[in-house]
């Protein structure tokens, strides 16, 4: 298995950050078939496979605000207001995804992208581990 860490700057607001190009570049160098495992080693971020750029990313953030409001209800209460919801989010959007790789290319659906989902405005730097397991 080959593994590499990429750094992602998410900024100071909730975000759905597209990392599809970085994932595609990583597997292109591996050649052949296998699996790409994408993992974010943070307790407040997740990896999602979804359509991006057509409003779906904003819809996802709106849905998460509805499900996990940024208010003072959270027992985990350090950091900015509503920070506790960031610690609950990975139960809904897991910190990993596994994607088939065929002939050195991601076998995503036509409109699927790989995204880092981050509600934690207190930590603008994230690491994502890409691991390729060949057949």
């Amino acid at each position: 298995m080959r593994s590499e860490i990429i750094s992602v700057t998410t900024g100071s607001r909730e975000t759905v950050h597209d990392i599809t190009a970085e994932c595609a570049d990583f597997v292109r160098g591996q050649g052949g078939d296998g699996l790409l495992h994408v993992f974010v080693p943070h307790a407040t971020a997740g990896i999602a496979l979804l359509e991006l750029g057509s409003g779906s990313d904003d819809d996802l953030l709106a849905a998460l605000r509805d499900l996990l409001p940024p208010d003072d209800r959270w027992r985990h209460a350090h950091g900015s207001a509503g920070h506790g919801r960031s610690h609950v989010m990975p139960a809904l959007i897991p910190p990993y995804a596994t994607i088939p790789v065929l002939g050195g290319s991601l076998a995503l659906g036509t409109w699927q992208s790989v995204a880092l989902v981050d509600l934690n405005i207190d930590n603008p730097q994230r690491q994502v581990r890409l691991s390729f397991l060949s057949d």
Side-chain angles (χ1 to χ4, degrees), residues 7-10 15-20 22 52 114-118:
S7 293
V8 178
T9 301
T10 56
T15 189
V16 177
H17 187 88
D18 189 356
I19 59 170
T20 309
E22 292 90 337
L52 296 174
V114 184
L116 169 66
V117 180
D118 191 0

Side-chain angles (χ1 to χ4, degrees), residues 20 49-51 99-100 106-114:
T20 309
L49 301 180
L50 74 159
E51 180 180 5
I99 303 154
L106 298 173
L108 292 169
T110 302
W111 302 111
Q112 284 181 316
S113 296
V114 184

Side-chain angles (χ1 to χ4, degrees), residues 32-109:
D33 299 344
L35 295 172
L36 171 66
H37 188 73
V38 183
F39 175 72
V40 57
H42 299 282
T44 58
I47 301 294
L49 301 180
L50 74 159
E51 180 180 5
L52 296 174
S54 63
S56 297
D57 35 357
D58 292 331
D59 290 341
L60 175 58
L61 291 174
L64 289 171
R65 276 191 295 279
D66 288 346
L67 290 169
L68 305 169
D71 57 25
D72 63 358
R73 74 183 67 202
W74 308 101
R75 289 185 183 100
H76 187 109
H78 71 74
S80 59
H83 177 75
R85 76 191 194 113
S86 297
H87 287 274
V88 174
M89 189 207 61
L92 303 174
I93 299 175
Y96 59 86
T98 302
I99 303 154
V101 176
L102 301 173
S105 296
L106 298 173
L108 292 169

